[in-house]
Amino acid sequence: MPRDHAQLIGGLGALLRERGLTGEIRDLRQLSGGASRETWSFELSTSGGSRPFILQRLRAGTGGGGPGMVGEAALIDAASALGVPVPQVVAADAGPATGAPCMVMDRLTGETIARKLLRDDAWAKARSVLVGQAGRALAAIHRIDTGVAPSLRPADQLDEMRSLLFGLDQPLPAFELALRWLEGHRPDSPRSSVVHGDFRLGNLLIDEDGLRGVLDWELAHVGDPIEDLGWYCVRAWRFGSPLPAGGMGTREELIDAYEAAGGYPVDPESLRWWELLGTLKWGLICTVQAQVHLGGSTRSVELATIGRRVCENEWDVLVLLPGSNLPEPRSVANDVGAALYGRPTAQELVEAVREWVGHDVREATEGRVAFHARVAANALAMVERELALAPLHRAESELALTELGCADDGELAQRIRSGTFDHRAAEVRLSVARMVRAKLEVANPRWLEPDR
């Protein structure tokens, strides 16, 4: 057993004994985890049997942010007392026991993979009831006393998105348009409550009867409760479903369930504002994740490919902006003839590699490697389309920038940010939308299809 593994078991055992839980820790295995924390599973074996647990621990070198592990535990306990389905937390520690802040909770059974939940017959009943359950859970979360976790802090999401966008070295004109509209139409709301911060498919544990557990409270903060409802409706969390509320229902069904359970009154325009902000937020997160790969701190085909998915959110913010004049999707030829170098062309070579990765490699592997093979095949498909479409897209972009009197995307973004183009809003939005459409024709043409 590796020394660090043995140390973790020793510290974990000591922490559990302090909470009155004794036994032998068995089958400690690291599962997938996010950027800031590790997730482990293990069994605590006693003479009476075994009990399955999950350990979450802050990664070395990360600040974590949010309420912290101890604060999260307090929030989860408070949510449970109000009827929110959550795993029972049995221990939380600020750091000494396992070498980093951690939390231990019961391991519940269920599924979190959104594509299975939205498509497989086994989850048909769950799909029929989940939107109502989500609305009721959010209403209860928003009743949690904000004083339960002293580490919980207010967060102005618009200010945070502005700082994040302005701190990037990548011009994103569509996001500049979204931010400018959001700043001019902020809802006038005195409401303030605990906000989960990441309530969506993927963070909800679901069994055949519906919601089994609300997970991942690390982004909880104090803010406008409608933020959670807007985030739940962001298109990225529908995973291809045309239904806006988590891919399983309508916005109206979500609002009705939420208000009937004692939630705050929801103005549809306020919900739209928060859905737009959530879309902007996810797009910026994708941008940052790609820069983690490009900066070299974490080299990952998944993070690299995410950078090309930013345009999905660029398109979506333009769709959500009132009065947007969007270009129609189009059929674009994506084949090129023999170039100077003969055949197979660069596009045809990439196609051959993509087919090999997407079939042979993927079928011969499993788990994370098989997943990354699928991601790599998608990345190669993007390269294929770019090789075919780049000349057309370059000409269209140059024409649009010339018509606006801008040298490049950077100047366009700056002029939107400064308000110089406010009087030409419709014209600028259409030009930006055409450039975003070109990105999507390479990155993910299906995203241009309405109500996929």
Side-chain angles (χ1 to χ4, degrees), residues 216-302:
D216 292 343
W217 293 69
E218 62 188 285
L219 298 181
H221 56 273
V222 176
D224 188 329
I226 311 307
E227 176 190 338
D228 274 333
L229 280 76
W231 185 248
Y232 190 68
C233 292
V234 167
R235 186 179 178 187
W237 314 134
R238 305 172 199 169
F239 298 91
S241 168
L243 296 172
M248 296 185 186
T250 66
R251 295 179 184 88
E252 292 75 19
E253 288 170 333
L254 178 65
I255 292 172
D256 289 347
Y258 176 75
E259 292 183 341
Y264 291 86
V266 181
D267 172 34
E269 289 305 310
S270 177
L271 177 63
R272 182 188 185 94
W273 189 93
W274 280 108
E275 185 177 336
L276 175 54
L277 187 140
T279 304
L280 170 64
K281 179 178 180 177
W282 178 237
L284 291 172
I285 291 172
C286 290
T287 306
V288 171
Q289 288 180 331
Q291 290 184 347
V292 170
H293 164 81
L294 294 170
S297 58
T298 302
R299 298 292 291 177
S300 162
V301 66
E302 182 180 4

Side-chain angles (χ1 to χ4, degrees), residues 418-447:
S418 69
T420 304
F421 277 145
D422 284 358
H423 68 293
R424 300 172 66 184
E427 177 189 358
V428 171
R429 284 185 187 177
L430 181 57
S431 294
V432 171
R434 284 172 174 156
M435 288 186 276
V436 173
R437 178 182 64 181
K439 294 180 186 179
L440 276 171
E441 285 169 345
V442 167
N444 184 8
R446 291 188 61 234
W447 203 261

Side-chain angles (χ1 to χ4, degrees), residues 126-202:
R127 287 194 291 270
S128 70
V129 298
L130 187 65
V131 172
Q133 293 172 334
R136 291 190 289 275
L138 285 172
I141 289 170
H142 298 159
R143 290 197 297 273
I144 296 174
D145 185 342
T146 56
V148 162
S151 56
L152 203 62
R153 295 286 181 266
D156 188 309
Q157 294 293 298
L158 185 58
D159 285 349
E160 290 186 3
M161 293 310 103
R162 183 188 302 109
S163 297
L164 188 54
L165 178 59
F166 289 7
L168 295 174
D169 60 2
Q170 178 179 348
L172 295 163
F175 289 170
E176 297 285 353
L177 287 169
L179 181 65
R180 191 144 187 88
W181 186 88
L182 289 165
E183 289 176 329
H185 298 82
R186 184 196 286 260
D188 182 17
S189 171
R191 300 170 297 195
S192 181
S193 75
V194 169
V195 174
H196 180 276
D198 203 11
F199 191 98
R200 61 174 177 84
L201 289 190

Side-chain angles (χ1 to χ4, degrees), residues 356-425:
W356 176 70
V357 171
H359 295 90
D360 295 38
V361 175
R362 187 176 172 190
E363 291 176 3
T365 56
E366 59 184 17
R368 195 70 176 162
V369 176
F371 169 73
H372 279 149
R374 179 160 62 88
V375 172
N378 287 340
L380 289 168
M382 293 181 199
V383 177
E384 280 184 71
R385 292 189 289 266
E386 182 172 328
L387 287 169
L389 299 175
L392 170 65
H393 290 162
R394 188 177 298 111
E396 289 180 339
S397 176
E398 290 173 354
L399 177 61
L401 289 168
T402 298
E403 291 175 344
L404 294 173
C406 296
D408 52 32
D409 278 1
E411 182 179 352
L412 174 58
Q414 285 297 328
R415 293 180 70 177
I416 293 171
R417 183 180 301 180
S418 69
T420 304
F421 277 145
D422 284 358
H423 68 293
R424 300 172 66 184

